[in-house]
Amino acid sequence: MMDKKQKKFLTVAPFECAWPIDLRFREAGRGCVAFDAFAHNDVTVVFREQVGSQHYHYKRDNCPHYTVIIGSHRNKRFKIEVDGKTVVDAAGVGLCCSSAFQSYWISIYDGLISIGKGRYPFQNLCFQWLDSNPNCSVQYVGLSSWDKHVGYRNVNVLPVTPNHLSLWKHVDYVEHDLGEDDLEQELEDQIGNYESWGLGKFLENWELSDMFFVVGKEERVVPAHKLILAACGDFGLSSSVEEVVHLPDISYSVLHALLQYVYTGHAQILESDLHSLKSLSLQYKVMPLVKQCEEILERLTSNEQLVESAKPVDISYPSWLQCSKTFPYGLPINRERLERFLSTGEYSDLDIYVGVHDLVLQSHKVILGSWSIPFAKMFTNGMRESASSMVCLKDVPLEAFKIMLEFMYTGELNKEATDGINTLLLQLLLLADEFGVTLLHQECCKILLECLSEDSVCPILQVISSVPSCKLIEETCERIFSMHFDYCTTASIDFVMLDEANFSNILQHTDLTVTSEERVLNAILLWCLQARELYGWETVSELILNSTPEILFGERLKSLNEFLNLVRFPLLPLELLRKFEGSNLCQQIPTFDHLVKEAIRFLEFGVTGSQGSQKFQHRKSSFKELLYICDGDSNGVLYFAGTSYGKHQWVNPVLSKRVTITASSPISRCTDPKVLVSRNFQGTSLAGPQMEDGRNASWWMVDVGQDHQLMCNYYTLRQDGSRAFMRRWNFQGSLDGKSWTNLRVHENDQTICKPGQFASWPITGPNALLPFRFFRLLMTAPTTDDTNPWNCCICFLELYGYFR
């Protein structure tokens, strides 16, 4: 009954997506996924027509998909996105939990998306939304996350049947072999450092402490940090001398609960100690804790419970108080006070010298250490900074470091750094990576992902290509570069500074989009030359005449020989390949010579030793794929032109002037170009003969438009109501409407034998790889009709292939 019974515990890192091979609907557009999730926020489930990559992100996906986000906006919102655009943004639906696994289910049925909580699908429904233009092709399920790790388990993909409401009542819920505590610990172990690090590491820790309490009659010594206490209440602490605070009438458990609440946002205390905790909190003006103690005491009193019991009570800093004025860890620490302490240097125990500047930044070791493990180790592992109040950071950009420091105190990015993609943002990204400030790193990544464009990919790739934590940014940049290859390699010469690995990935990218393989060749030559200006292969051929490849290309000569194999020479016109053959490039570079001659042999004779090689196949991304399905279908180029290339309802493309059709005879009642693309049967539709070069010639010609080309691999025609059946004709293509190339030659073709009959033929061989603007069906011999043997009697024509 269940498609998926996942026994292993799965953790998905930020900006990543897991695509287990068996997370797939049995029927496209219809299915349900049920799962458990353990997350602080942003449980993200993607429904897609095809499987994505590990570093896939729905914000950068141009393919049709649905995205359901539970706990968006830091666990405050529920969202549904269609193709990256938000269609649902609701409050408080199915929010996440970071202390235990929760069960959810999401179903899709012909565009109806249903979301619920609980173990059983279609029970405890929380939300429904109907897509007015449903995507009935989504089939694969991706488990993703946004800015924090998400743990998944018990993932099941289930079919949706008409009687599913009763069916799922009998579904057995699969429990894990591991216990709940073990699973949660496993997740905590896998989650990044920023989840387990923070002020909690310094709770009652002598490291970096500058004061201590002497508590209870036993005079137990408890260390603390002035800055943290002063930021959450009024402890009356001096900023200049080490403080000792005596609390003889307070038990250790009460002080521990107070400090635990301050440092972690959570505390546990016995009901019998609630009054003491409230009094101590009030004494030091930790007002959020005072209020929560009062609420708990009031609730216990109203329920007529004894407050003197030994039952433990859990207290957590409420999420609704975690607004912009609080410390970013969700602690009862006032952000405005922290900012003031940073600007005034109050309680400071650290002077930071950045680079060669005389400017001294006063800071606090406990704050830097709570955000950054490298800083924490620097201050606590016996390094000289442990005993010193001064740190010198060389090769660190001052402005970027100041912004990172402000982020550590406020949890927010300076607007100057977030103003689009600039040098400051990239410097900040590298600093965050160097010092392990994970949340800042992710904020920078978010901005980059949202602002990436073809103009910015080159400088970004040059900066982040060596940073492992920026893999998603790197892959996204490579994809954008590939999709805008012509622009990125001609708008500027910056691309020649890319790493070899990045440029190689771009050249081999499945989304590489080019107008011509000549552009690919030119880009490779420029990159290998490390050129300082833009020029084509002709200039390189001239340069090599007075030099040698070793001198001209230097250390990149080896890369040139490898990259040339990525150029699909057989896709280039034979005339251009002949020019290559006579160039200095062929004479001086053996690899170039071999590839050019191989392409010429293929185009002339269809002979090659590696027919299945990618170099003999068109780049699918360069053209829209419009492939033949059956006779008279709506998948062809001429029908596509009638829909304004997929934008509007169909209109005869001749009337809308998307295509032009002409005949060998003048327009008349029986020779009407509109008929060939009208989709309606016409009893009489013909192109009459005219004399060309002293011979009869009858033809229909299609012009797909000045800015369009087609690599034709199939064509369909339909006989009109007559019995004038063609037996010998040529189907041809042309770039200028004057010089024609035979795509298929028909000799004594007996296929058409009935009036009104459809017939279709494939185009094979090298010519199927060539793009043309004009196409012509030319009769080369009379038809079977003795009365008017040179009338070309067809009433429908459609072309298929790869259209640009």
Side-chain angles (χ1 to χ4, degrees), residues 251-520:
S251 66
Y252 166 73
S253 60
V254 173
L255 177 64
H256 174 73
L258 173 65
L259 295 178
Q260 190 179 29
Y261 184 82
V262 169
Y263 280 76
T264 70
H266 305 279
Q268 189 178 74
I269 194 168
L270 299 178
E271 288 182 0
S272 56
D273 288 332
L274 274 171
H275 283 294
S276 298
L277 179 60
K278 174 191 168 185
S279 299
L280 186 63
S281 304
L282 187 60
Q283 175 184 342
Y284 290 127
K285 297 182 181 179
V286 184
M287 301 313 295
L289 183 55
V290 172
K291 185 174 181 179
Q292 287 186 268
C293 288
E294 290 176 344
E295 291 175 351
I296 296 172
L297 288 168
E298 183 179 352
R299 185 171 64 250
L300 293 175
T301 304
S302 64
N303 293 334
E304 298 182 353
Q305 295 184 21
L306 294 176
V307 183
E308 300 301 323
S309 71
K311 184 178 180 181
V313 176
D314 290 318
I315 306 174
S316 295
Y317 184 62
S319 59
W320 57 268
L321 282 176
Q322 297 176 22
C323 59
S324 60
K325 293 185 179 181
T326 59
F327 194 61
Y329 284 121
L331 308 181
I333 295 178
N334 190 287
R335 195 189 76 175
E336 291 180 351
R337 293 187 189 178
L338 280 182
E339 289 182 89
R340 186 176 75 247
F341 296 154
L342 175 64
S343 61
T344 63
E346 193 174 358
Y347 301 110
S348 171
D349 59 355
L350 182 66
D351 293 336
I352 306 175
Y353 293 82
V354 180
V356 295
H357 303 279
D358 294 331
L359 180 66
V360 178
L361 302 176
Q362 291 186 312
S363 184
H364 307 84
K365 292 182 179 181
V366 67
I367 295 295
L368 272 63
S370 67
W371 281 95
S372 165
I373 290 181
F375 272 128
K377 290 181 177 179
M378 183 187 300
F379 302 142
T380 61
N381 280 11
M383 300 173 67
R384 65 182 180 184
E385 290 83 3
S386 301
S388 173
S389 61
M390 183 180 70
V391 169
C392 296
L393 302 175
K394 298 180 180 179
D395 302 321
V396 171
L398 175 61
E399 289 304 315
F401 185 83
K402 288 171 66 177
I403 292 174
M404 183 175 77
L405 196 61
E406 290 176 11
F407 181 86
M408 290 177 170
Y409 283 78
T410 66
E412 292 185 357
L413 262 180
N414 186 297
K415 290 183 179 180
E416 184 182 357
T418 60
D419 186 18
I421 296 176
N422 51 45
T423 302
L424 186 59
L425 179 64
L426 294 174
Q427 290 176 342
L428 195 58
L429 176 69
L430 296 181
L431 272 183
D433 179 75
E434 178 182 354
F435 290 102
V437 187
T438 310
L439 294 181
L440 175 59
H441 182 275
Q442 291 174 0
E443 288 295 325
C444 294
C445 286
K446 289 180 189 178
I447 297 170
L448 286 174
L449 283 173
E450 292 169 357
C451 300
L452 279 177
S453 69
E454 55 269 29
D455 289 309
S456 60
V457 291
C458 275
I460 292 173
L461 272 175
Q462 292 176 44
V463 172
I464 57 90
S465 59
S466 60
V467 183
S469 61
C470 295
K471 191 64 178 177
L472 173 65
I473 306 293
E474 182 180 6
E475 291 182 352
T476 305
C477 285
E478 290 174 353
R479 180 170 178 264
I480 292 175
F481 192 115
S482 301
M483 295 173 65
H484 301 88
F485 188 86
D486 287 345
Y487 180 86
C488 292
T489 54
T490 55
S492 76
I493 201 66
D494 291 346
F495 75 94
V496 303
M497 303 303 294
L498 294 178
D499 287 348
E500 179 179 0
N502 291 134
F503 193 56
S504 177
N505 291 339
I506 290 167
L507 292 173
Q508 299 178 76
H509 205 286
T510 55
D511 288 331
L512 181 62
T513 302
V514 291
T515 54
S516 165
E517 288 298 312
E518 188 177 358
R519 291 288 186 92
V520 180

Side-chain angles (χ1 to χ4, degrees), residues 9 11-14 38-40 98 148-151 184-197:
F9 176 60
T11 300
V12 180
F38 178 109
H40 291 260
S98 60
K148 294 187 178 181
H149 287 69
V150 177
E184 293 178 16
Q185 184 60 49
E186 182 180 347
L187 179 60
E188 291 293 346
D189 290 343
Q190 295 183 52
I191 286 178
N193 291 323
Y194 76 92
E195 293 290 1
S196 58
W197 202 253

Side-chain angles (χ1 to χ4, degrees), residues 722-768:
S722 72
R723 303 188 67 85
F725 307 135
M726 292 188 298
R727 291 294 176 255
R728 291 179 174 82
W729 73 95
N730 294 341
F731 182 66
Q732 302 174 319
S734 172
L735 287 170
D736 57 9
K738 298 176 182 178
S739 177
W740 294 93
T741 299
N742 286 332
L743 301 180
R744 186 178 178 103
V745 176
H746 297 261
E747 292 289 344
N748 194 27
D749 193 320
Q750 305 286 325
T751 303
I752 303 174
C753 55
K754 297 178 182 179
Q757 178 186 347
F758 281 101
S760 301
W761 294 269
I763 308 300
T764 58
N767 290 341

Side-chain angles (χ1 to χ4, degrees), residues 43-286:
V43 171
T44 305
V45 183
V46 183
F47 300 88
R48 202 168 183 266
E49 296 179 9
Q50 298 294 332
V51 171
S53 67
Q54 177 187 355
H55 297 290
Y56 164 92
H57 200 272
Y58 60 95
K59 289 289 187 183
R60 314 305 305 174
D61 191 358
N62 293 326
C63 298
H65 65 283
Y66 289 122
T67 307
V68 177
I69 307 171
I70 300 170
S72 181
H73 292 75
R74 300 195 182 278
N75 207 24
K76 296 178 181 178
R77 313 288 296 176
F78 166 79
K79 293 179 69 175
I80 298 177
E81 297 187 0
V82 178
D83 304 337
K85 296 180 179 179
T86 301
V87 294
V88 171
D89 188 352
V93 177
L95 296 183
C96 309
C97 178
S98 60
S99 60
F101 276 95
Q102 287 184 318
S103 302
Y104 306 91
W105 57 266
I106 303 171
S107 78
I108 298 181
Y109 190 90
D110 295 345
L112 177 63
I113 300 179
S114 305
I115 298 93
K117 294 181 69 174
R119 294 186 171 188
Y120 301 106
F122 308 104
Q123 298 181 21
N124 197 19
L125 176 69
C126 293
F127 195 87
Q128 275 191 323
W129 175 77
L130 178 62
D131 188 356
S132 58
N133 185 24
N135 182 341
C136 296
S137 301
V138 294
Q139 210 167 1
Y140 292 88
V141 181
L143 306 175
S144 186
S145 68
W146 178 235
D147 63 348
K148 294 187 178 181
H149 287 69
V150 177
Y152 293 94
R153 70 176 190 185
N154 291 337
V155 185
N156 298 278
V157 171
L158 311 162
V160 177
T161 63
N163 62 338
H164 58 259
L165 286 174
S166 59
L167 175 65
W168 302 129
K169 293 179 182 179
H170 305 290
V171 173
D172 294 328
Y173 185 74
V174 182
E175 292 291 354
H176 251 273
D177 295 335
L178 294 174
E180 186 81 13
D181 293 338
D182 295 332
L183 283 170
E184 293 178 16
Q185 184 60 49
E186 182 180 347
L187 179 60
E188 291 293 346
D189 290 343
Q190 295 183 52
I191 286 178
N193 291 323
Y194 76 92
E195 293 290 1
S196 58
W197 202 253
L199 288 178
K201 291 293 181 181
F202 297 102
L203 173 63
E204 299 185 21
N205 191 323
W206 285 100
E207 299 284 6
L208 309 183
S209 65
D210 52 4
M211 66 157 294
F212 57 88
F213 293 91
V214 179
V215 61
K217 294 180 181 179
E218 68 276 17
E219 296 186 344
R220 181 166 179 172
V221 179
V222 180
H225 305 79
K226 293 181 184 179
L227 174 79
I228 305 307
L229 299 181
C232 69
D234 184 4
F235 286 77
L237 301 171
S238 168
S239 62
S240 58
V241 297
E242 187 174 35
E243 296 274 352
V244 179
V245 179
H246 293 272
L247 298 173
D249 299 326
I250 299 296
S251 66
Y252 166 73
S253 60
V254 173
L255 177 64
H256 174 73
L258 173 65
L259 295 178
Q260 190 179 29
Y261 184 82
V262 169
Y263 280 76
T264 70
H266 305 279
Q268 189 178 74
I269 194 168
L270 299 178
E271 288 182 0
S272 56
D273 288 332
L274 274 171
H275 283 294
S276 298
L277 179 60
K278 174 191 168 185
S279 299
L280 186 63
S281 304
L282 187 60
Q283 175 184 342
Y284 290 127
K285 297 182 181 179
V286 184

Side-chain angles (χ1 to χ4, degrees), residues 594-615:
H594 167 74
L595 293 170
V596 168
K597 289 180 178 177
E598 180 185 52
I600 291 174
R601 287 197 303 271
F602 177 71
L603 293 177
E604 286 187 332
F605 310 110
V607 176
T608 176
S610 52
Q611 282 279 7
S613 174
Q614 208 172 41
K615 70 177 69 175

